[in-house]
Amino acid sequence: MPKWAIWALVAVAAALIIGPRLWPTTTATKVTYTEFLELVDNGEVQSVTINNLSNVISGELRDGSSFETTGATALSDADEQLLKEKGVDYDYVTPTGNFFTDLIPLLLPFFLIMGFFLWMQRRAMGQAGNIMSIGRSKAKNYDADKPSTTFADVAGYAGVKQEIKEVVDFLKMPERFKEIGARVPKGILLVGPPGTGKTLFARAVAGEAGVGFLSVTGSDFMEMFVGVGASRVRDLFQQAAKMGRAIIFVDEIDSIGRKRGAGLGGGHDEREQTLNQMLAEMDGFEATEGIVVMAATNRPDILDPALLRPGRFDRQIIVPLPEVEERLAILKVHSAGKRMGNDVDLDTMAKATPGMSGADLANLVNEAALFAVRRGSTHIERIDFENARDRVVLGASRESLILNAEEKRATAYHEGGHAVLATVLPHSDPLHKVTILPRGMALGVTWTLPEERHTYSREYFEDVICKAMGGRVAEMVVFGHLNSGAANDLEQSTNIARRMVREWGMSDKVGPMAFAGQQQVFLGEDLMTSGREYSDETARVIDEEISRILHEQEKRARALLEKHRKGLDLVAQALLDQETIDGALVSRLVQQGLGEPEKVSENSPKL
Ligand code: ADP
Ligand code: MG
Ligand code: ZN
């Protein structure tokens, strides 16, 4: 039964019930009861019928026309007498109505119940259908004729593009590779931190090659029922085979590809079956068929080794965080098509955003656009970018947070301590800005710009710890007591000290030994190997070394701040006056505090 039939039935029923009320069929003239009595009195009335239910009195005049009026259920004795006198033919009726209008009120509940049951049945069938099709993959099938993303949409990463170009060539003309007998890797694993454009790359490969793109997320395979994931994998590969040339893209593959038999509580049946099926399917198709499996993860270390062996994901392509030129290119891609003011300098912006991923940069451009709108400007200006960066890096400013004078002074000295040390320490990252405007969770921020670096020296870490101690030490030197505001600084420096000792061999006493960090059992590492594998004696030495490093740096910070006490006062005062000052001013004030001639330090960037 088609759906509209039900609605048609309902409409007909409604018309039959409501219709007669809306369009009365009688053409009788309405008269008042008094007029009716007059008519009777004048002897003009031939006959009347009194409706018992509606009290309508309808009648016919001697001239043939009809009339209608409303009276009481029964005529009063006097009126009845009058009718009799005037020889009017009168009668009481109880209308039975027409057949349909009588039937419908009876049938309606019946229809409703029937409809309800039909609906229930349909739903139940739908659910059963869902269970039946649960194994079918949720893969999105992108039209091969309309590839939208190309390499032009991916800024920078020339190296990655170069590596991946081979796959595009293969997908474009697999025959050529077949003729020569070249084997293209079946599986390509894109490895990199979140937001670096791995998904974007996979799409771009499909777009460049103009082939179908089947994309699933690892967690899509996980269902309530064991075996569903495996059947989805089977389905996915079947679908790809049907399409001829295609890319199968498994995003976040670590959610199914974790080491088997590892982690807490032994294996996870569903995950292992899914993974096994994936391995079997990857072995199952010939490399020349024109199907390439791509996968992305940011945790290659927890993947099952079987996934990574030749014939499966044997090609790993690292997609690292973008370097400065790449950041510039990404900023350009994302600001294309946006109205940019003349004073926007993307070059500077790229330099000032180390450690940001492509997604962060895309977000930054969007935040800048939002700031421009809020300002009521027609263009995105430099100030918007700066606001956006401050917001992204430091968190939203909390103008609503009001500090009392004492807290403000303490914060100024705390941040001043960090800032002075950042300026005077030889290996510290250059100081960019200091502010005592509350941002995010912090009451103030000292912001250094890390240089693009991939390895760091022991001296660098010592300076980082010393600088982190600066806040607390400054408060101690100036006020003679401590505040709770330094918790974060302490946590950060303790972490660095611990890694210096345990992982980087930067303690002479412990020496060249690595004690792996906390293993993440939940992420698929083996429980057995993650226990402590050194003696109590070693544990004591490690603890001592960590504590020694921290104490040494605190002492160093104190000595430096006592030496620069005047500079610290000047910086704190400048912070109380201006709330935000830049690195160049801090270094001028430090010089001034030493009573030396003013000269700009090389350790302050011109941003
Ligand atoms: P991943 O999959 O590595 O976590 P995505 O591919 O989802 O990251 O990237 C997220 C977003 O970041 C993209 O949609 C894009 O807007 C932006 N992005 C990342 N890298 C680049 C890049 N190289 N060029 C242009 N945009 C990029
Ligand atoms: Mg992704
Ligand atoms: Zn601090």
Side-chain angles (χ1 to χ4, degrees):
M1 193 156 60
K3 209 176 196 163
W4 59 262
I6 294 174
W7 289 111
L9 258 172
V10 170
V12 168
L16 282 175
I17 294 172
I18 300 168
R21 273 155 228 256
L22 288 183
W23 303 287
T25 44
T26 50
T27 50
T29 31
K30 299 257 180 215
V31 295
T32 62
Y33 196 68
T34 331
E35 283 167 345
F36 160 63
L37 289 182
E38 251 166 46
L39 286 169
V40 175
D41 210 19
N42 296 346
E44 288 177 43
V45 179
Q46 167 94 52
S47 65
V48 290
T49 318
I50 301 154
N51 188 322
N52 274 331
L53 292 179
S54 62
N55 302 343
V56 171
I57 302 170
S58 43
E60 220 169 88
L61 297 184
R62 294 202 195 276
D63 62 11
S65 63
S66 52
F67 69 93
E68 211 175 87
T69 189
T70 313
T73 316
L75 294 178
S76 63
D77 289 345
D79 296 345
E80 211 172 327
Q81 196 57 46
L82 183 67
L83 288 178
K84 272 183 188 155
E85 266 172 27
K86 295 295 171 186
V88 179
D89 209 2
Y90 73 93
D91 191 13
Y92 288 94
V93 292
T94 304
T96 50
N98 75 30
F99 177 68
F100 273 114
T101 35
D102 276 356
L103 214 56
I104 278 164
L106 289 176
L107 288 184
L108 203 64
F110 176 73
F111 274 126
L112 278 176
I113 291 168
M114 278 276 288
F116 179 72
F117 273 109
L118 269 175
W119 179 71
M120 285 287 282
Q121 191 188 3
R122 185 109 45 106
R123 255 174 67 101
M125 265 169 60
Q127 249 153 25
N130 279 347
I131 287 178
M132 290 311 161
S133 65
I134 221 163
R136 213 170 297 144
S137 129
K138 289 191 215 148
K140 280 179 267 165
N141 186 353
Y142 282 84
D143 201 339
D145 307 319
K146 291 180 255 163
S148 48
T149 315
T150 63
F151 280 162
D153 297 317
V154 189
Y157 293 113
V160 177
K161 282 180 191 168
Q162 189 61 39
E163 268 190 272
I164 233 169
K165 182 85 178 27
E166 196 180 64
V167 180
V168 175
D169 290 340
F170 168 68
L171 284 167
K172 270 185 181 159
M173 37 202 169
E175 316 82 34
R176 280 264 282 282
F177 284 73
K178 196 175 183 179
E179 279 162 19
I180 297 182
R183 198 180 66 82
V184 160
K186 278 182 187 174
I188 289 170
L189 185 64
L190 296 168
V191 178
T196 45
K198 298 179 295 294
T199 309
L200 196 65
F201 255 116
R203 282 179 188 285
V205 171
E208 285 282 327
V211 300
F213 187 68
L214 290 164
S215 144
V216 276
T217 301
S219 54
D220 282 351
F221 291 120
M222 309 314 271
E223 280 286 348
M224 224 159 37
F225 308 103
V226 173
V228 168
S231 85
R232 281 206 177 139
V233 171
R234 218 174 300 130
D235 232 59
L236 183 66
F237 278 81
Q238 269 169 15
Q239 217 171 320
K242 258 186 249 160
M243 290 168 74
R245 283 180 284 167
I247 287 181
I248 296 175
F249 179 59
V250 187
D251 212 349
E252 322 285 352
I253 196 174
D254 41 293
S255 67
I256 49 166
R258 253 174 241 166
K259 288 188 186 104
R260 286 167 291 183
L264 283 177
H268 183 307
D269 275 342
E270 167 64 347
R271 209 186 66 215
E272 296 201 352
Q273 283 201 16
T274 309
L275 178 56
N276 286 338
Q277 188 64 38
M278 177 79 81
L279 298 178
E281 291 289 345
M282 287 196 74
D283 289 340
F285 70 89
E286 280 301 311
T288 46
E289 277 171 19
I291 293 173
V292 170
V293 186
M294 292 181 85
T297 180
N298 46 12
R299 297 295 314 264
D301 49 319
I302 61 167
L303 290 183
D304 195 289
L307 260 180
L308 304 176
R309 79 149 172 72
R312 289 168 188 160
F313 291 103
D314 46 1
R315 179 83 52 105
Q316 287 195 30
I317 297 182
I318 312 282
V319 189
L321 285 174
E323 305 271 325
V324 59
E325 312 88 57
E326 276 154 357
R327 288 200 300 271
L328 178 59
I330 294 172
L331 284 173
K332 277 186 181 152
V333 163
H334 285 280
S335 27
K338 292 197 171 66
R339 262 199 261 156
M340 306 294 264
N342 292 330
D343 65 347
V344 174
D345 184 2
L346 291 181
D347 227 352
T348 314
M349 226 46 224
K351 280 195 197 116
T353 47
M356 280 203 188
S357 70
D360 293 333
L361 293 168
N363 181 35
L364 177 75
V365 177
N366 190 48
E367 284 283 341
L370 292 180
F371 270 111
V373 173
R374 225 171 292 159
R375 239 170 11 95
S377 162
T378 52
H379 286 78
I380 307 174
E381 314 262 343
R382 181 199 181 100
I383 177 83
D384 300 316
F385 266 98
E386 276 174 9
N387 284 337
R389 183 188 51 173
D390 287 4
R391 192 201 168 104
V392 170
V393 175
L394 306 176
S397 65
R398 280 161 72 197
E399 267 123 31
S400 59
L401 190 73
I402 312 280
L403 299 181
N404 64 33
E406 194 192 333
E407 277 177 322
K408 219 165 184 175
R409 225 166 91 79
T411 309
Y413 271 100
H414 179 109
E415 297 306 325
H418 289 311
V420 167
L421 290 182
T423 316
V424 301
L425 287 170
H427 300 281
S428 165
D429 292 319
L431 177 65
H432 176 48
K433 260 194 211 172
V434 204
T435 177
I436 54 166
L437 284 177
R439 274 190 169 278
M441 294 303 288
L443 294 184
V445 181
T446 300
W447 185 1
T448 54
L449 282 185
E451 276 159 32
E452 207 91 26
R453 246 195 281 193
H454 304 99
T455 57
Y456 295 91
S457 63
R458 175 173 171 169
E459 289 74 24
Y460 172 82
F461 288 122
E462 283 170 355
D463 281 5
V464 170
I465 295 175
C466 180
K467 188 184 73 194
M469 293 290 177
R472 155 195 159 88
V473 169
E475 287 182 58
M476 258 203 314
V477 168
V478 177
F479 305 106
H481 62 85
L482 288 173
N483 254 317
S484 64
N488 215 0
D489 296 334
L490 291 184
E491 194 182 323
Q492 186 204 353
S493 33
T494 308
N495 264 337
I496 294 176
R498 182 177 297 126
R499 296 189 71 186
M500 284 173 74
V501 175
R502 290 172 53 108
E503 293 175 39
W504 302 323
M506 287 176 181
S507 135
D508 297 330
K509 254 200 189 153
V510 173
M513 259 220 265
F515 308 95
Q518 243 85 10
Q519 295 289 329
Q520 281 161 307
V521 179
F522 297 101
L523 285 178
E525 290 295 339
D526 265 327
L527 189 58
M528 299 312 289
T529 61
S530 67
R532 208 182 71 179
E533 34 212 1
Y534 43 83
S535 66
D536 288 350
E537 172 61 17
T538 311
R540 198 177 53 77
V541 174
I542 290 175
D543 288 343
E544 274 173 13
E545 280 297 278
I546 294 172
S547 148
R548 177 190 59 81
I549 291 177
L550 291 172
H551 279 104
E552 268 180 19
Q553 292 311 320
E554 189 186 21
K555 236 195 247 156
R556 193 166 156 231
R558 180 183 278 269
L560 281 168
L561 286 181
E562 273 165 359
K563 179 182 166 201
H564 292 281
R565 176 61 208 267
K566 275 221 182 89
L568 176 62
D569 286 339
L570 290 172
V571 171
Q573 194 52 51
L575 278 171
L576 286 170
D577 292 343
Q578 303 174 31
E579 295 194 320
T580 304
I581 58 178
D582 63 7
L585 178 61
V586 173
S587 77
R588 270 207 306 281
L589 292 173
V590 169
Q591 298 290 345
Q592 203 181 317
L594 286 177
E596 283 174 14
E598 220 177 78
K599 73 168 200 251
V600 180
S601 152
E602 294 101 66
N603 211 10
S604 55
K606 319 274 172 297
L607 287 178

